[in-house]
Amino acid sequence: AFKESFNMNAIKNGDLSKSIAAFANTRGGVIIFGVTDSPRKAKGLTNTNFDDIQEERLTECLNNQFAPELLIELKTFDLDGKRFGAFVVKESTNKPVICTQNGSKIKEGEIYYRYSGRSEKIKHAELLAILDEVRENERKKWMEHIQKIAQIGPQNIALIDVYRGNLLNPQNKE
């Protein structure tokens, strides 16, 4: 995605954070600052707003608006004597990322997804795909545990009841 400039208000009102959450719910992505929209032109940043970003404030704002945590990296680069900024948004490993706070551009409980050049509320097919992926990852983890138990041998496995503080195993039931 491309934005002409960075403004912290675009995070606070949810306009930009909606796009960040949408990328996290899809496959990640990059938002480049310093590029005009119509026509698309590499103009460069015209102020110091991007360089002045306080990462902890940005992270706090995003974490107040969405859960689980959104992971982004801030990058700057120069091209043809012009300065540009970028948010590199990581794909969430804990999908779906859900809005937890109302704003002028975002609503609590909504899930945003990136559709060819725009961020919108997620549609049924994409939400179903995310939920299927979550279930499949859970199945894989269980299979890994079962394979480890088979490899070690069930007789050599002990369970810890962290609630009661007891060690349970086949020879010693409690």
Side-chain angles (χ1 to χ4, degrees), residues 61-107:
C61 191
L62 290 171
N63 289 338
N64 286 337
Q65 294 175 331
F66 293 93
E69 181 179 26
L70 292 167
L71 299 175
I72 64 170
E73 289 180 41
L74 279 62
K75 305 275 185 187
T76 56
F77 61 95
D78 295 307
L79 182 67
D80 296 331
K82 299 173 186 166
R83 187 153 183 81
F84 297 87
F87 285 171
V88 179
V89 183
K90 303 290 183 189
E91 179 178 1
S92 178
T93 56
N94 233 349
K95 293 179 192 175
V97 173
I98 301 171
C99 183
T100 58
Q101 186 180 75
N102 287 321
S104 62
K105 304 282 185 170
I106 55 175
K107 275 193 174 165

Side-chain angles (χ1 to χ4, degrees), residues 6 8 33 48-58 74 87:
F6 173 79
M8 192 63 184
F33 299 92
T48 61
N49 287 356
F50 192 89
D51 291 318
D52 295 341
I53 294 173
Q54 295 175 344
E55 284 192 57
E56 56 283 345
R57 254 187 78 217
L58 177 65
L74 279 62
F87 285 171

Side-chain angles (χ1 to χ4, degrees), residues 5 26 39 52 55 58 67 78-79 103 105 108 122 131 138 147 149-150 159 167-168:
S5 61
T26 313
D52 295 341
E55 284 192 57
L58 177 65
D78 295 307
L79 182 67
K105 304 282 185 170
E108 183 179 358
I122 197 165
L131 296 176
E138 193 173 291
Q147 287 169 349
I149 291 170
L159 299 174
L167 181 64
L168 307 170

